[in-house]
Amino acid sequence: MGAPTTITYCLALLALLPISAHAQPGNDSQPRSLTVEQAVQVGLRSNPELHAMDAEVRMATAETGMARAMTRFQVSTTTYLGTGTMPNILSTSPGVQPTNNNLVPKQSFVTQNVTLMAPLYTGGRLSGTVRAAQAQEQATTEDRKEMRLQVALMVREAYFQSLLAEEMVKTAQARLDAADALLAVTRALFEVGKGIQASVQRVEAERAEALGMLQKAQNDVARMLLELREAMGISLDTPLTLTDGLAAPQSVADLNAALRQAREQRPLLHAFRLRLAASRARKSSAQGAFRPQVYVGAMADAVRSREMGTETGYTVGATISLPLLDGGQRRAEGNRALAEEDRAAATLRSAEQRVEREVRIAYVNIDTARQNRQSAEAGLLAAQAAYEVVALRVQNQKAILVEQLEALAAVTQARVALARARFDFAISEAQLRRACGIESEGQKP
């Protein structure tokens, strides 16, 4: 193979290197072909952290049910059996509500009791507890939405990292192919006495470096795919084929619109607002403890004893209770509720600032990535043109081999820069989507 033909072949290899990674989809028995949005949907179904959040939501729902139960009728039944030498008082077993205290006769007896109790007025103590539990349940639901946003971001980042690694493989392979072609030319010239051994050794060193770059890039692909599988919550040995590429930057909404959308839509902020409402409800509940507690109750008893025979009856009444001295317990509970409200309000303000910062940083990163892409595209065109010139100069013995190797390295670096600029935009756009509370591709920030 002559030198001009080989150089032309080398340039063609570099020109054929694509920036976007478009793998061919496989069939059902082949690697699983996924777009980035399909990968996100798999992650939202399979990620174990989301399954844990599902359990958190169910737990919060149960807490709300427990709080509501305290506002409803409660009925218990108790059977008393015993014998003795004097009358005494027996009580309902611990943990059973409502409780009943029964005066039982001496000697052998059997008593069957049914007790009903319901709150009539608690000064807002129970209603505050219910509102707090409801707000906490809703906050936990928003936490789950926030977790879904985080999982979607993790999957997108891992997907784009894998695409970038694949681009590095293609870039390294093109560099290796170009080095192989150049090595063949250099050896041929040396064999016919038109070159020196040092030139051959220098190209061999270039080839070895290109081979090392390729091996590292291949390792990065395997590692990034493992992280993608983990983020998706699927088996780590599942074959994957990524069908999307690192798309060119698209236009996004203006900064003010993105900030407004984040304030209105971000689940994290909804959760903190609901926790503030929960703390205020708990404060109301603590204040209710200072007011009278009124309950209505009814009891029915059937007693059979050796001394009294059989007797049945019922009692209906109401209890009105108000603690007069509790050592400062209620006041301390009220102070705690006030402090909790202040903490929740401060945490909400901090979260609002954090979300705004996330939006602004993502917006700046997107703009920077767009500018870097334009610079990288121009740089790649310049590097390719420079390589062609240097290759011709080397062919005509107007330049030395080292200049051609440096020009080849410049082309490789330009391709890497363009791939990273596209990667940076994709990541920044994904981060902006999360910051604005957007989960699916169909919603645009």
Side-chain angles (χ1 to χ4, degrees), residues 109-110 235 245 264 296 407:
F109 63 88
V110 176
S235 174
E264 295 173 355
V296 62

Side-chain angles (χ1 to χ4, degrees), residues 23 52 94 102 106 139-140 166 192 202 308 311 365 385 427 439:
N102 203 314
K106 61 182 179 179
T140 305
E166 289 181 352
V192 298
R202 179 64 183 84
M308 300 173 56
E311 184 177 356
N365 289 343
I427 289 294
E439 178 182 298

Side-chain angles (χ1 to χ4, degrees), residues 20 245-254 362-363 365-367 369-371 373-374 421-422 424-426 428-430 432-433 441 444-445:
S20 297
L246 293 172
Q250 305 295 324
S251 61
V252 296
D254 64 81
Y363 207 86
N365 289 343
I366 286 176
D367 189 56
R370 183 184 292 108
Q371 296 177 23
R373 171 180 170 269
Q374 295 172 351
R422 289 185 174 176
D424 290 342
F425 179 85
S428 299
E429 187 182 44
L432 178 61
R433 181 182 292 114
E441 179 68 23
K444 289 294 184 182

Side-chain angles (χ1 to χ4, degrees), residues 36-203:
V36 61
E37 290 308 312
Q38 288 171 339
V40 168
Q41 294 306 313
V42 172
L44 294 178
R45 290 194 304 268
S46 305
N47 188 279
E49 293 184 8
L50 281 177
H51 293 170
M53 281 303 304
D54 290 337
E56 291 282 348
V57 172
R58 295 197 303 271
M59 291 167 59
T61 302
E63 292 284 347
T64 302
M66 293 165 58
R68 285 199 182 104
M70 299 301 295
T71 68
R72 299 168 180 161
F73 284 100
Q74 295 184 345
V75 181
S76 67
T77 180
T78 305
T79 301
Y80 300 94
L81 301 171
T83 186
T85 59
M86 62 179 297
N88 217 320
I89 297 176
L90 295 180
S91 180
T92 306
S93 302
V96 178
Q97 293 292 334
T99 60
N100 166 257
N101 298 313
N102 203 314
L103 178 62
V104 296
K106 61 182 179 179
Q107 299 184 3
S108 299
F109 63 88
V110 176
T111 301
Q112 183 64 48
N113 169 267
V114 176
T115 300
L116 176 148
M117 182 171 286
L120 291 182
Y121 174 78
T122 63
R125 179 177 60 86
L126 291 183
S127 61
T129 301
V130 172
R131 292 198 308 275
Q134 289 174 327
Q136 187 63 41
E137 178 186 354
Q138 294 169 355
T140 305
T141 301
E142 294 298 323
D143 287 340
R144 184 182 183 278
K145 294 178 182 177
E146 181 70 19
M147 177 64 73
R148 286 176 64 88
L149 289 176
Q150 183 61 29
V151 168
L153 177 62
M154 290 192 302
V155 171
R156 289 190 176 99
E157 287 182 338
Y159 193 101
F160 295 142
Q161 288 279 5
S162 300
L163 289 179
L164 178 62
E166 289 181 352
E167 289 301 324
M168 296 301 102
V169 168
K170 294 177 182 180
T171 300
Q173 185 63 59
R175 180 185 179 188
L176 180 60
D177 291 342
D180 285 338
L182 188 56
L183 180 59
V185 173
T186 307
R187 282 175 175 169
L189 291 175
F190 173 71
E191 290 172 357
V192 298
K194 294 184 178 180
I196 59 176
Q197 181 68 30
S199 296
V200 176
Q201 293 173 340
R202 179 64 183 84
V203 178

